[in-house]
Amino acid sequence: GACAILVVGLLPLLESIFKVMTEMSLMEFMDPNNELIRRLAMEIPGTYQHCLVLGNLAEAMAQSIRADGLLCRAATLYHDIGKLNNPHFFTENQPMGVNIHQLLTPQESAEVIISHVSDGEAIARKYRLPTAFIDVIREHHGTTLAFYFYCKELDIKGGDESRVNQAAFRYPGPKPRSKESAIIMIADAVEAASRALEELSEASITNLVNEVVKRRLDDGQFDDCLLTFEELGTVKQALIKTLLVTHHARIKYPNKKLPTNPPLPNPNPN
């Protein structure tokens, strides 16, 4: 008994010293009664729903390569907390038919969107969230472009890339530095893009996942996270499979005709 009490009492100290999180402490951060989780659910319900879906995807992906699935699920709940500061700038929280970005230049829009990372870090430190969560908040967009607003600015400048300051449209980073961070980056980008797909099928989801991963790979986003090519292939398959189940998407079955009169099973095989 005394030993158990000692262990439980020392856990928080050992976790903070060694920067390691136990399953018990991760479960505590996933409690719906947690103050920050309650704020997410009440103030940015669209983002909260996105985080729940993402947790499911990221956990399945992590488990497929024996990375930390529970950490992925817990960290994704908090990865977008910076959106609490400007909820209506993010489509998932906008009332129907209202788009505040129509009033802003593409560069102003990009600034607000990108700021959810630094805002998230500030909120995380205020609430004393674990370092692993803060890393995910900072890394889940890496140094990618706020692509939509970059393209809008490019249009305004007549398609001339030399007239657009690309740095103003890039997230500050760092790039993902752990497998879990990279997994969350992939899941986040794919989940957001999948909502815009007109047809959800095995083929369309597979194309989307390949496209998103290739774009980030070519952009050097996975250079620091130790994910091997083989693991990247495995997490992609896990993501496709989980998305298909989540969206109840149509799976193309092999086009084999069943025999018109299948033979009846023999009731006495022996």
Side-chain angles (χ1 to χ4, degrees):
C3 189
I5 291 165
L6 189 66
V7 168
V8 170
L10 285 174
L11 260 181
L13 180 65
L14 294 171
E15 285 180 353
S16 65
I17 292 170
F18 295 107
K19 300 276 189 288
V20 172
M21 299 199 66
T22 61
E23 285 193 9
M24 199 161 70
S25 60
L26 285 171
M27 295 300 282
E28 278 175 23
F29 281 108
M30 290 157 67
D31 183 347
N33 294 314
N34 180 300
E35 186 191 345
L36 203 44
I37 300 285
R38 285 224 311 272
R39 279 193 65 193
L40 284 173
M42 295 295 293
E43 295 173 39
I44 48 174
T47 297
Y48 180 57
Q49 286 305 315
H50 159 69
C51 292
L52 291 174
V53 172
L54 209 59
N56 190 33
L57 297 174
E59 184 175 38
M61 292 164 74
Q63 285 171 344
S64 75
I65 59 163
R66 296 198 170 92
D68 193 335
L70 196 60
L71 172 63
C72 281
R73 186 182 275 278
T76 48
L77 276 176
Y78 296 90
H79 81 288
D80 270 347
I81 52 174
K83 292 182 180 180
L84 282 164
N85 288 9
N86 295 297
H88 295 310
F89 285 88
F90 300 90
T91 41
E92 70 266 26
N93 304 307
Q94 284 170 358
M96 289 295 281
V98 175
N99 187 353
I100 203 160
H101 291 287
Q102 290 164 342
L103 309 172
L104 304 175
T105 67
Q107 192 163 333
E108 287 168 337
S109 289
E111 268 171 37
V112 180
I113 297 295
I114 288 168
S115 73
H116 85 271
V117 169
S118 51
D119 289 350
E121 187 182 350
I123 293 169
R125 293 194 188 284
K126 181 184 163 190
Y127 280 86
R128 302 204 166 153
L129 292 187
T131 313
F133 290 12
I134 295 173
D135 288 343
V136 166
I137 290 168
R138 295 176 64 217
E139 295 167 14
H140 75 279
H141 285 289
T143 57
T144 57
L145 273 174
F147 198 68
Y148 177 77
F149 295 110
Y150 171 74
C151 291
K152 271 183 85 169
E153 181 70 9
L154 200 56
D155 277 350
I156 292 167
K157 296 290 189 333
D160 183 352
E161 288 183 12
S162 66
R163 294 177 61 206
V164 179
N165 174 20
Q166 201 184 93
F169 292 87
R170 278 204 182 268
Y171 282 90
K175 295 172 181 179
R177 290 173 295 178
S178 68
K179 293 179 182 186
E180 289 78 12
S181 237
I183 282 168
I184 292 166
M185 169 187 268
I186 295 167
D188 187 36
V190 169
E191 200 282 320
S194 73
R195 281 179 266 155
L197 280 180
E198 282 174 22
E199 190 215 4
L200 283 165
S201 65
E202 190 170 9
S204 67
I205 287 175
T206 302
N207 288 340
L208 179 68
V209 170
N210 286 334
E211 165 88 13
V212 166
V213 170
K214 186 181 184 312
R215 192 179 281 175
R216 277 163 181 62
L217 196 59
D218 292 348
D219 197 26
Q221 296 303 320
F222 305 134
D223 290 357
D224 303 335
C225 71
L226 307 174
L227 257 187
T228 66
F229 269 115
E230 190 181 349
E231 286 171 330
L232 202 51
T234 305
V235 299
K236 275 177 14 179
Q237 287 311 310
L239 176 55
I240 292 163
K241 191 174 156 190
T242 314
L243 273 170
L244 283 169
V245 174
T246 310
H247 289 295
H248 310 291
R250 289 187 295 287
I251 297 172
K252 283 196 169 61
Y253 290 99
N255 195 7
K256 283 181 183 163
K257 283 200 172 94
L258 285 170
T260 41
N261 293 314
L264 292 167
N266 181 351
N268 302 308
N270 294 330

Coordinates of all heavy atoms in Angstrom, one line a residue, residues 174-252:
P174 N 8.9 24.9 -35.8 CA 9.8 24.0 -36.6 C 9.0 22.9 -37.3 O 7.8 22.7 -37.1 CB 10.7 23.3 -35.5 CG 9.9 23.4 -34.2 CD 9.1 24.6 -34.3
K175 N 9.8 22.1 -38.2 CA 9.2 21.0 -38.8 C 9.0 19.9 -37.8 O 9.7 19.9 -36.7 CB 10.2 20.5 -39.9 CG 10.3 21.5 -41.1 CD 11.5 21.0 -42.0 CE 11.6 22.0 -43.1 NZ 12.7 21.6 -44.0
P176 N 8.1 18.9 -38.0 CA 7.9 17.8 -37.1 C 9.3 17.2 -36.7 O 10.1 16.8 -37.6 CB 7.0 16.8 -37.8 CG 6.3 17.7 -38.8 CD 7.2 18.7 -39.2
R177 N 9.4 17.0 -35.4 CA 10.7 16.4 -34.9 C 10.5 15.0 -34.3 O 11.4 14.4 -33.7 CB 11.4 17.3 -33.9 CG 11.9 18.6 -34.6 CD 12.4 19.6 -33.6 NE 11.3 20.1 -32.7 CZ 11.5 20.9 -31.7 NH1 12.7 21.4 -31.5 NH2 10.5 21.3 -31.0
S178 N 9.3 14.5 -34.3 CA 9.0 13.2 -33.8 C 8.0 12.5 -34.8 O 7.4 13.2 -35.6 CB 8.3 13.2 -32.5 OG 7.0 13.8 -32.6
K179 N 8.0 11.2 -34.8 CA 7.1 10.4 -35.7 C 5.6 10.8 -35.4 O 4.8 10.9 -36.3 CB 7.3 8.9 -35.5 CG 8.6 8.4 -36.0 CD 8.9 6.9 -35.7 CE 10.3 6.6 -36.2 NZ 10.5 5.1 -36.2
E180 N 5.3 11.0 -34.1 CA 4.0 11.4 -33.7 C 3.6 12.7 -34.3 O 2.5 12.9 -34.8 CB 3.8 11.4 -32.1 CG 3.9 10.0 -31.5 CD 5.3 9.4 -31.3 OE1 6.3 10.2 -31.6 OE2 5.4 8.2 -31.0
S181 N 4.5 13.7 -34.2 CA 4.2 15.0 -34.8 C 4.0 14.9 -36.3 O 3.1 15.6 -36.8 CB 5.4 15.9 -34.6 OG 5.0 17.1 -33.8
A182 N 4.8 14.1 -37.0 CA 4.6 14.0 -38.4 C 3.3 13.3 -38.8 O 2.6 13.7 -39.7 CB 5.8 13.1 -39.0
I183 N 2.9 12.3 -38.0 CA 1.6 11.6 -38.2 C 0.5 12.6 -38.0 O -0.5 12.6 -38.8 CB 1.5 10.4 -37.2 CG1 2.3 9.3 -37.7 CG2 0.1 10.0 -37.0 CD1 2.5 8.2 -36.6
I184 N 0.5 13.4 -37.0 CA -0.5 14.4 -36.8 C -0.6 15.4 -37.9 O -1.7 15.8 -38.3 CB -0.4 15.1 -35.4 CG1 -0.6 14.0 -34.3 CG2 -1.3 16.3 -35.2 CD1 -0.2 14.4 -32.9
M185 N 0.6 15.8 -38.4 CA 0.6 16.8 -39.6 C -0.1 16.2 -40.8 O -0.9 16.8 -41.4 CB 2.1 17.1 -40.0 CG 2.2 17.8 -41.3 SD 3.8 18.0 -41.9 CE 4.3 19.6 -41.2
I186 N 0.2 14.9 -41.1 CA -0.4 14.2 -42.2 C -2.0 14.1 -42.0 O -2.8 14.5 -42.9 CB 0.2 12.8 -42.5 CG1 1.7 13.0 -42.8 CG2 -0.6 12.1 -43.6 CD1 2.4 11.6 -42.8
A187 N -2.3 13.6 -40.8 CA -3.8 13.4 -40.6 C -4.5 14.7 -40.6 O -5.6 14.8 -41.2 CB -3.9 12.7 -39.2
D188 N -3.9 15.8 -40.1 CA -4.6 17.1 -40.0 C -4.8 17.6 -41.4 O -6.0 18.0 -41.8 CB -3.7 18.0 -39.2 CG -4.3 19.4 -39.0 OD1 -5.6 19.4 -38.8 OD2 -3.6 20.4 -39.0
A189 N -3.8 17.6 -42.3 CA -4.0 18.1 -43.6 C -5.0 17.3 -44.5 O -5.8 17.8 -45.2 CB -2.6 18.1 -44.3
V190 N -4.9 15.9 -44.3 CA -5.8 15.1 -45.1 C -7.2 15.2 -44.6 O -8.2 15.3 -45.4 CB -5.4 13.6 -45.0 CG1 -6.4 12.6 -45.5 CG2 -4.0 13.4 -45.7
E191 N -7.5 15.3 -43.3 CA -8.8 15.4 -42.7 C -9.5 16.7 -43.2 O -10.6 16.7 -43.7 CB -8.8 15.3 -41.2 CG -10.1 15.0 -40.6 CD -11.1 16.1 -40.5 OE1 -10.8 17.2 -40.2 OE2 -12.3 15.8 -40.7
A192 N -8.7 17.8 -43.2 CA -9.3 19.1 -43.6 C -9.6 19.0 -45.1 O -10.7 19.4 -45.6 CB -8.3 20.2 -43.4
A193 N -8.7 18.4 -45.9 CA -8.9 18.3 -47.4 C -10.1 17.4 -47.7 O -10.8 17.6 -48.7 CB -7.6 17.9 -48.1
S194 N -10.2 16.3 -46.9 CA -11.2 15.3 -47.3 C -12.6 15.8 -47.2 O -13.6 15.3 -47.8 CB -11.1 14.1 -46.4 OG -11.6 14.3 -45.1
R195 N -12.8 16.9 -46.4 CA -14.1 17.5 -46.3 C -14.6 18.2 -47.5 O -15.8 18.4 -47.8 CB -14.2 18.5 -45.1 CG -14.3 17.8 -43.7 CD -14.3 18.8 -42.6 NE -13.0 19.0 -42.0 CZ -12.6 20.1 -41.4 NH1 -13.4 21.1 -41.3 NH2 -11.4 20.2 -40.9
A196 N -13.6 18.5 -48.4 CA -13.9 19.2 -49.7 C -14.1 18.2 -50.8 O -14.5 18.6 -51.9 CB -12.8 20.2 -50.0
L197 N -13.9 16.9 -50.6 CA -14.0 15.9 -51.6 C -15.5 15.7 -52.0 O -16.3 15.6 -51.1 CB -13.5 14.6 -51.2 CG -11.9 14.3 -51.2 CD1 -11.6 12.9 -50.8 CD2 -11.4 14.5 -52.6
E198 N -15.8 15.8 -53.3 CA -17.1 15.6 -53.7 C -17.6 14.1 -53.6 O -18.7 13.8 -53.2 CB -17.3 16.1 -55.2 CG -17.4 17.6 -55.3 CD -17.4 18.1 -56.7 OE1 -17.8 17.3 -57.6 OE2 -17.1 19.3 -56.9
E199 N -16.6 13.2 -54.0 CA -17.0 11.8 -53.9 C -16.0 11.1 -52.9 O -14.8 11.3 -53.1 CB -16.9 11.2 -55.3 CG -17.4 9.8 -55.3 CD -16.7 8.8 -56.3 OE1 -15.7 9.3 -56.8 OE2 -17.1 7.7 -56.4
L200 N -16.5 10.5 -51.9 CA -15.6 9.8 -51.0 C -15.6 8.3 -51.4 O -16.6 7.6 -51.1 CB -16.2 9.9 -49.6 CG -15.8 11.3 -48.9 CD1 -16.7 11.5 -47.7 CD2 -14.4 11.4 -48.6
S201 N -14.6 7.9 -52.0 CA -14.4 6.5 -52.4 C -13.0 6.1 -52.0 O -12.2 6.9 -51.7 CB -14.7 6.3 -53.9 OG -13.7 7.0 -54.6
E202 N -12.7 4.8 -52.2 CA -11.4 4.3 -51.9 C -10.4 5.0 -52.8 O -9.3 5.4 -52.3 CB -11.3 2.8 -52.1 CG -10.0 2.2 -51.5 CD -10.0 0.7 -51.5 OE1 -11.0 0.1 -52.0 OE2 -9.1 0.1 -50.9
A203 N -10.7 5.2 -54.1 CA -9.8 5.8 -55.0 C -9.6 7.3 -54.7 O -8.4 7.7 -54.7 CB -10.4 5.7 -56.4
S204 N -10.6 8.0 -54.4 CA -10.5 9.5 -54.2 C -9.7 9.7 -52.9 O -8.9 10.6 -52.8 CB -11.8 10.2 -54.1 OG -12.6 9.8 -53.0
I205 N -9.9 8.9 -51.8 CA -9.2 9.1 -50.6 C -7.7 8.7 -50.7 O -6.8 9.4 -50.2 CB -9.9 8.3 -49.4 CG1 -11.2 9.0 -49.0 CG2 -9.0 8.1 -48.2 CD1 -12.1 8.2 -48.0
T206 N -7.5 7.6 -51.5 CA -6.1 7.2 -51.7 C -5.3 8.3 -52.5 O -4.2 8.6 -52.1 CB -6.1 5.8 -52.5 OG1 -6.8 4.9 -51.8 CG2 -4.6 5.4 -52.7
N207 N -5.9 8.8 -53.5 CA -5.3 9.9 -54.3 C -5.0 11.1 -53.4 O -3.9 11.7 -53.5 CB -6.2 10.4 -55.4 CG -6.2 9.3 -56.5 OD1 -5.4 8.5 -56.6 ND2 -7.3 9.4 -57.4
L208 N -6.0 11.4 -52.5 CA -5.8 12.6 -51.6 C -4.6 12.4 -50.7 O -3.8 13.3 -50.5 CB -7.1 12.8 -50.8 CG -7.1 14.0 -49.9 CD1 -7.0 15.3 -50.6 CD2 -8.3 14.0 -48.9
V209 N -4.6 11.2 -50.0 CA -3.5 10.9 -49.1 C -2.2 11.0 -49.8 O -1.2 11.6 -49.3 CB -3.8 9.5 -48.4 CG1 -2.5 9.1 -47.6 CG2 -5.0 9.6 -47.5
N210 N -2.1 10.3 -50.9 CA -0.8 10.3 -51.7 C -0.4 11.8 -52.1 O 0.8 12.1 -51.9 CB -0.9 9.5 -53.0 CG -0.9 8.0 -52.6 OD1 -0.4 7.6 -51.6 ND2 -1.5 7.2 -53.5
E211 N -1.3 12.6 -52.5 CA -1.1 13.9 -52.9 C -0.6 14.8 -51.7 O 0.4 15.5 -51.8 CB -2.4 14.5 -53.5 CG -2.4 16.0 -53.6 CD -1.9 16.5 -55.0 OE1 -1.7 15.7 -55.9 OE2 -1.7 17.7 -55.1
V212 N -1.3 14.7 -50.6 CA -0.9 15.5 -49.4 C 0.5 15.1 -48.9 O 1.3 16.0 -48.6 CB -2.0 15.3 -48.3 CG1 -1.4 15.8 -47.0 CG2 -3.2 16.0 -48.7
V213 N 0.7 13.8 -48.8 CA 2.0 13.3 -48.3 C 3.2 13.7 -49.2 O 4.2 14.2 -48.8 CB 2.0 11.8 -48.0 CG1 3.4 11.3 -47.7 CG2 1.1 11.5 -46.9
K214 N 2.9 13.6 -50.5 CA 4.0 13.9 -51.5 C 4.3 15.4 -51.5 O 5.5 15.8 -51.5 CB 3.5 13.6 -53.0 CG 4.6 13.8 -54.0 CD 4.1 13.4 -55.4 CE 5.3 13.6 -56.4 NZ 6.1 14.8 -56.3
R215 N 3.3 16.2 -51.3 CA 3.5 17.7 -51.3 C 4.4 18.0 -50.1 O 5.3 18.8 -50.2 CB 2.2 18.4 -51.2 CG 2.3 19.9 -51.4 CD 1.0 20.6 -51.4 NE 0.2 20.5 -52.6 CZ -1.0 20.9 -52.8 NH1 -1.7 21.5 -51.8 NH2 -1.6 20.7 -54.0
R216 N 4.1 17.4 -48.9 CA 4.9 17.7 -47.7 C 6.3 17.1 -47.8 O 7.2 17.7 -47.3 CB 4.1 17.3 -46.5 CG 3.1 18.4 -46.1 CD 2.0 18.0 -45.2 NE 1.1 19.1 -44.9 CZ 0.4 19.7 -45.8 NH1 0.5 19.4 -47.1 NH2 -0.4 20.7 -45.5
L217 N 6.4 16.0 -48.4 CA 7.7 15.3 -48.5 C 8.6 16.1 -49.4 O 9.7 16.4 -49.1 CB 7.4 13.9 -49.2 CG 8.6 12.9 -49.1 CD1 9.0 12.6 -47.7 CD2 8.1 11.6 -49.8
D218 N 8.0 16.6 -50.6 CA 8.8 17.5 -51.5 C 9.2 18.8 -50.9 O 10.2 19.4 -51.2 CB 8.0 17.7 -52.8 CG 7.8 16.5 -53.6 OD1 8.4 15.5 -53.3 OD2 6.9 16.5 -54.5
D219 N 8.3 19.2 -49.9 CA 8.6 20.5 -49.2 C 9.6 20.3 -48.1 O 9.9 21.3 -47.3 CB 7.2 21.1 -48.7 CG 7.3 22.5 -48.4 OD1 8.2 23.3 -48.9 OD2 6.5 23.0 -47.5
G220 N 10.1 19.1 -47.9 CA 11.0 18.8 -46.8 C 10.5 18.8 -45.4 O 11.2 18.9 -44.4
Q221 N 9.2 18.6 -45.3 CA 8.6 18.7 -43.9 C 8.9 17.5 -43.0 O 8.8 17.6 -41.8 CB 7.0 18.9 -44.0 CG 6.6 20.2 -44.7 CD 7.1 21.4 -44.0 OE1 7.1 21.5 -42.7 NE2 7.5 22.4 -44.7
F222 N 9.3 16.4 -43.7 CA 9.6 15.2 -42.9 C 11.1 15.0 -42.6 O 11.5 13.9 -42.2 CB 9.0 13.9 -43.5 CG 7.5 14.1 -43.8 CD1 6.9 13.7 -45.0 CD2 6.6 14.6 -42.8 CE1 5.6 13.8 -45.2 CE2 5.3 14.7 -43.0 CZ 4.7 14.3 -44.2
D223 N 11.9 16.0 -42.9 CA 13.3 15.8 -42.9 C 13.9 15.6 -41.5 O 14.9 15.0 -41.3 CB 14.0 17.1 -43.4 CG 13.9 17.2 -45.0 OD1 13.2 16.3 -45.5 OD2 14.3 18.2 -45.5
D224 N 13.2 16.0 -40.4 CA 13.7 16.0 -39.1 C 13.0 15.0 -38.2 O 13.2 15.0 -37.0 CB 13.6 17.4 -38.4 CG 14.3 18.4 -39.2 OD1 15.2 18.1 -40.0 OD2 13.9 19.6 -39.1
C225 N 12.1 14.1 -38.7 CA 11.2 13.3 -37.8 C 11.5 11.8 -37.7 O 10.8 11.1 -37.1 CB 9.8 13.5 -38.2 SG 9.3 12.7 -39.7
L226 N 12.6 11.4 -38.4 CA 13.0 10.0 -38.4 C 12.0 8.9 -38.9 O 12.1 7.8 -38.6 CB 13.4 9.6 -36.9 CG 14.4 10.5 -36.2 CD1 14.6 10.1 -34.8 CD2 15.7 10.4 -36.9
L227 N 11.0 9.4 -39.6 CA 10.1 8.4 -40.3 C 10.7 7.8 -41.5 O 11.2 8.6 -42.3 CB 8.8 9.2 -40.7 CG 7.5 9.1 -40.0 CD1 6.4 9.7 -40.8 CD2 7.1 7.7 -39.6
T228 N 10.8 6.5 -41.6 CA 11.4 5.9 -42.7 C 10.3 5.9 -43.9 O 9.1 6.0 -43.6 CB 11.8 4.4 -42.4 OG1 10.6 3.7 -42.2 CG2 12.7 4.3 -41.2
F229 N 10.8 5.6 -45.1 CA 9.9 5.5 -46.2 C 8.9 4.4 -46.0 O 7.7 4.5 -46.4 CB 10.6 5.3 -47.6 CG 11.0 6.6 -48.3 CD1 12.3 6.9 -48.4 CD2 10.0 7.4 -48.7 CE1 12.6 8.1 -49.1 CE2 10.3 8.6 -49.4 CZ 11.6 9.0 -49.5
E230 N 9.4 3.3 -45.5 CA 8.5 2.1 -45.2 C 7.4 2.5 -44.2 O 6.2 2.2 -44.4 CB 9.4 1.0 -44.7 CG 8.6 -0.3 -44.6 CD 9.4 -1.5 -44.0 OE1 10.6 -1.3 -43.9 OE2 8.8 -2.5 -43.7
E231 N 7.8 3.2 -43.1 CA 6.8 3.6 -42.1 C 5.8 4.6 -42.7 O 4.6 4.6 -42.4 CB 7.5 4.3 -40.9 CG 8.2 3.3 -40.1 CD 9.1 3.9 -39.0 OE1 9.6 5.0 -39.2 OE2 9.2 3.3 -37.9
L232 N 6.3 5.5 -43.6 CA 5.4 6.5 -44.3 C 4.3 5.7 -45.1 O 3.1 6.1 -45.1 CB 6.2 7.4 -45.2 CG 5.7 8.7 -45.5 CD1 5.2 9.5 -44.3 CD2 6.7 9.6 -46.3
G233 N 4.8 4.7 -45.8 CA 3.8 3.8 -46.6 C 2.8 3.2 -45.7 O 1.6 3.1 -46.0
T234 N 3.3 2.7 -44.5 CA 2.4 2.0 -43.6 C 1.4 2.9 -43.0 O 0.2 2.6 -42.9 CB 3.2 1.3 -42.4 OG1 4.2 0.5 -43.0 CG2 2.3 0.5 -41.5
V235 N 1.8 4.1 -42.5 CA 0.9 5.1 -41.9 C -0.2 5.6 -43.0 O -1.3 5.8 -42.6 CB 1.5 6.3 -41.2 CG1 2.4 5.8 -40.0 CG2 2.3 7.2 -42.1
K236 N 0.3 5.7 -44.2 CA -0.6 6.1 -45.3 C -1.8 5.1 -45.4 O -2.9 5.4 -45.5 CB 0.1 6.3 -46.6 CG 0.7 7.6 -46.8 CD 1.5 7.9 -48.0 CE 1.5 7.1 -49.2 NZ 2.4 7.5 -50.3
Q237 N -1.4 3.8 -45.4 CA -2.4 2.7 -45.6 C -3.4 2.7 -44.4 O -4.6 2.6 -44.6 CB -1.7 1.4 -45.7 CG -1.0 1.1 -47.0 CD -1.9 1.4 -48.2 OE1 -3.1 0.9 -48.3 NE2 -1.4 2.2 -49.1
A238 N -2.8 2.9 -43.2 CA -3.7 3.0 -42.0 C -4.6 4.2 -42.0 O -5.8 4.1 -41.7 CB -2.8 3.1 -40.7
L239 N -4.1 5.3 -42.6 CA -5.0 6.5 -42.7 C -6.1 6.3 -43.7 O -7.3 6.6 -43.4 CB -4.1 7.7 -43.1 CG -4.8 9.0 -43.3 CD1 -5.7 9.5 -42.1 CD2 -3.8 10.1 -43.7
I240 N -5.8 5.7 -44.8 CA -6.8 5.4 -45.9 C -7.9 4.5 -45.3 O -9.1 4.8 -45.4 CB -6.1 4.8 -47.1 CG1 -5.2 5.9 -47.8 CG2 -7.2 4.3 -48.1 CD1 -4.2 5.3 -48.8
K241 N -7.4 3.4 -44.7 CA -8.4 2.5 -44.1 C -9.3 3.1 -43.1 O -10.5 2.9 -43.1 CB -7.6 1.3 -43.5 CG -8.4 0.1 -43.1 CD -7.4 -1.0 -42.6 CE -8.1 -2.0 -41.7 NZ -7.2 -2.9 -41.1
T242 N -8.7 3.9 -42.2 CA -9.5 4.5 -41.1 C -10.5 5.6 -41.6 O -11.6 5.7 -41.2 CB -8.6 5.1 -40.0 OG1 -7.5 4.2 -39.7 CG2 -9.3 5.5 -38.8
L243 N -10.0 6.3 -42.6 CA -10.9 7.3 -43.3 C -12.1 6.7 -44.0 O -13.2 7.1 -43.9 CB -10.1 8.2 -44.3 CG -9.4 9.4 -43.8 CD1 -8.5 10.0 -44.9 CD2 -10.4 10.5 -43.3
L244 N -11.8 5.5 -44.6 CA -12.9 4.8 -45.3 C -14.0 4.3 -44.3 O -15.1 4.5 -44.5 CB -12.3 3.6 -46.1 CG -11.6 3.9 -47.4 CD1 -10.9 2.6 -47.9 CD2 -12.6 4.3 -48.4
V245 N -13.5 3.8 -43.2 CA -14.4 3.4 -42.1 C -15.2 4.6 -41.5 O -16.4 4.6 -41.4 CB -13.7 2.6 -41.0 CG1 -14.6 2.3 -39.8 CG2 -13.0 1.4 -41.5
T246 N -14.4 5.7 -41.3 CA -15.0 6.9 -40.7 C -16.1 7.5 -41.6 O -17.2 7.9 -41.1 CB -14.0 8.0 -40.4 OG1 -12.9 7.4 -39.8 CG2 -14.5 9.1 -39.6
H247 N -15.8 7.5 -42.9 CA -16.8 8.1 -43.8 C -17.8 7.1 -44.4 O -18.6 7.5 -45.3 CB -16.0 8.8 -45.0 CG -15.3 10.1 -44.5 ND1 -16.0 11.2 -44.1 CD2 -14.0 10.4 -44.4 CE1 -15.1 12.1 -43.7 NE2 -13.9 11.7 -43.9
H248 N -17.7 5.9 -44.0 CA -18.5 4.8 -44.6 C -18.4 4.9 -46.1 O -19.4 4.8 -46.8 CB -20.0 4.9 -44.2 CG -20.1 5.0 -42.7 ND1 -19.8 4.0 -41.8 CD2 -20.5 6.1 -41.9 CE1 -20.0 4.4 -40.6 NE2 -20.4 5.7 -40.6
A249 N -17.2 5.1 -46.6 CA -17.0 5.3 -48.1 C -17.2 4.0 -48.8 O -17.1 2.9 -48.3 CB -15.7 5.9 -48.4
R250 N -17.5 4.2 -50.1 CA -17.7 3.0 -51.0 C -16.4 2.3 -51.3 O -15.4 3.0 -51.7 CB -18.4 3.4 -52.3 CG -19.8 3.7 -52.1 CD -20.5 4.0 -53.4 NE -20.0 5.1 -54.1 CZ -20.2 6.4 -53.8 NH1 -20.9 6.6 -52.8 NH2 -19.7 7.3 -54.5
I251 N -16.3 1.1 -51.1 CA -15.1 0.3 -51.4 C -15.3 -0.5 -52.7 O -16.4 -1.1 -52.8 CB -14.7 -0.7 -50.2 CG1 -14.4 0.1 -49.0 CG2 -13.5 -1.5 -50.6 CD1 -14.2 -0.7 -47.7
K252 N -14.4 -0.4 -53.6 CA -14.6 -1.1 -54.9 C -14.2 -2.5 -54.7 O -13.1 -2.8 -54.4 CB -13.8 -0.5 -56.0 CG -14.4 0.8 -56.5 CD -13.7 1.2 -57.8 CE -14.5 2.3 -58.5 NZ -14.5 3.6 -57.7

